[in-house]
Amino acid sequence: MPRASAADAARTAWDILVSATDLFAARGFAAVSLDDVAGAAGVTRGAVYHHYRSKAGLFRSVAAKLQSDVATAVVVAAEGAGTDPREQLRAGCHAFLDAITAAPAVRVLLIDAPAVFGWEQWRRLDAEHSVVHLREALAGVGVPDDLLDATTAQLSGAMNEAALWIAQQPRGPEARDAAHRVLDRVLAAAIA
Amino acid sequence: MPRASAADAARTAWDILVSATDLFAARGFAAVSLDDVAGAAGVTRGAVYHHYRSKAGLFRSVAAKLQSDVATAVVVAAEGAGTDPREQLRAGCHAFLDAITAAPAVRVLLIDAPAVFGWEQWRRLDAEHSVVHLREALAGVGVPDDLLDATTAQLSGAMNEAALWIAQQPRGPEARDAAHRVLDRVLAAAIA
DNA sequence: CAGATTACATACGCTCCGTACGTAAAGGAA
DNA sequence: TTCCTTTACGTACGGAGCGTATGTAATCTG
């Protein structure tokens, strides 16, 4: 089979990434083979291994993309919420809930990623992109240093579980509303 | 090779379960083969498949055992905390943190289980054993019905993440102490 | 325009899961 | 005791799927 130009190659890599995102989100990491991904992208496994190191490497790229999208939404919301650190924290947290439940991100980021990468490695990736902002925001509203990491972890855990709960709930709007209200109470406690 | 009596068979099943628990906790579900488990237990894969339906079935038994141990510790602590529902809730939650971080349970229950079973199925198993008590306790301290599930989810998520955080932290006692203090603040908010 | 490199496809070995089958001992029934 | 059935494994086999090695043609570079 012939070969494509540099631009086409980038397109191929992108197609693979999109197909992989859809399949991983729908079936989970373990239930998706690289043949599935290659077939959905219209290429063979050779192409996948050319653009990504391994199945885990491909998954890493998928997760990084989703993570980045969520983080962007959070930052935008926080910056658009004025200058009060408390209000920025609130806006960012609520935006996180909405962003991570809207995308096909929930399963990939919150279920499979820790298992595929191992928790410590996943934690580092998460910390670099998303949790940094939460940690900084909590520091900004006066959470004491010795409780900062523990507070960040528990708040992050609460939001993640809330996202999973929303995603699985049949009544979408009501569940989302309830989750946001509970999150406000939890937030109030964390920054009290 | 000869055959063992009924008592010996139960012992074999138990040995397999123990070996599997150790290996799954140490390396994670995906990185452990049934040959590894069989070898550690001193049998062949045939014995494993005789006592358990599949790799996932074996993992399910491992998770159920760990889950049951944690739940028992929580119930004992709650019952030993007097009759005040608030105090029972507090005692149960703190006992949960200690129990799940003490056992080799963290990785199995909080990282691999959701990925292996899928979140909804895992959620059902978890709800039956552990989260029921949390939900009942929260209802008992006056959390309104329309926020009960959301509160249960977020509190559970906060505790799970706290457990993972403790397990990964180099300074064990300090981290544990910080997590318990933050948990008290979160609890206070949830039941306010 | 010729060699080097890129962008794939193809082919192969290896690991590992699940199942089918074999087998020998245990636990009754006569 | 003796036979028969069932249990408790071990062994052997097929298939899926990952990763790597290799082939090949088009593109880029000088």
Side-chain angles (χ1 to χ4, degrees), chain B residues 15-186:
Chain B
D15 288 346
I16 292 170
L17 193 73
V18 170
S19 298
T21 301
D22 292 343
L23 288 170
F24 285 147
R27 297 187 220 160
F29 179 79
V32 172
S33 76
L34 290 185
D35 268 323
D36 294 338
V37 174
V43 294
T44 66
R45 278 174 48 247
V48 177
Y49 274 100
H50 178 72
H51 289 286
Y52 303 91
R53 276 187 213 157
S54 63
K55 191 187 180 186
L58 172 60
F59 183 81
R60 187 192 188 90
S61 296
V62 168
K65 172 77 169 63
L66 293 174
Q67 178 96 13
S68 165
D69 292 346
V70 171
T72 300
V74 170
V75 170
V76 166
E79 287 176 349
T83 54
D84 179 20
R86 278 186 157 71
E87 204 49 44
Q88 288 188 340
L89 172 63
R90 231 185 66 88
C93 287
H94 288 286
F96 173 83
L97 256 196
D98 290 335
I100 205 169
T101 50
V106 184
R107 179 169 199 164
V108 170
L109 293 180
L110 302 183
I111 302 288
D112 283 336
V116 172
F117 299 134
W119 190 76
E120 70 230 71
Q121 188 183 344
W122 167 244
R123 187 65 172 155
R124 280 203 301 274
L125 293 176
D126 195 30
E128 288 168 13
H129 290 77
S130 185
V131 176
V132 225
H133 303 123
L134 177 59
R135 204 185 119 100
E136 285 173 6
L138 287 173
V141 299
V143 173
D145 278 1
D146 59 330
L147 298 183
L148 189 52
D149 284 332
T151 304
T152 305
Q154 292 188 37
L155 198 50
S156 174
M159 289 190 292
N160 287 346
E161 194 73 15
L164 289 167
W165 180 75
I166 291 173
Q168 191 247 5
Q169 219 63 16
R171 316 195 142 271
E174 287 93 340
R176 186 177 300 273
D177 181 62
H180 279 291
R181 281 158 63 196
V182 171
L183 178 57
D184 264 333
R185 300 175 69 162
V186 172

Side-chain angles (χ1 to χ4, degrees), chain A residues 3 9 12 44 46-47 50-51:
Chain A
R3 180 199 161 190
T12 299
T44 65
H50 178 73
H51 289 285

Side-chain angles (χ1 to χ4, degrees), chain A residues 26-106:
Chain A
R27 297 187 220 160
F29 179 79
V32 172
S33 76
L34 290 186
D35 269 323
D36 294 337
V37 174
V43 294
T44 65
R45 279 174 48 249
V48 176
Y49 275 99
H50 178 73
H51 289 285
Y52 303 92
R53 276 186 215 157
S54 62
K55 190 185 179 186
L58 174 59
F59 183 81
R60 187 192 189 89
S61 296
V62 168
K65 172 75 169 65
L66 293 174
Q67 178 97 10
S68 165
D69 292 346
V70 171
T72 299
V74 170
V75 169
V76 166
E79 286 177 349
T83 54
D84 179 20
R86 279 186 156 72
E87 204 49 45
Q88 289 188 340
L89 172 63
R90 230 185 68 87
C93 286
H94 287 286
F96 173 83
L97 256 196
D98 290 335
I100 205 168
T101 51
V106 183

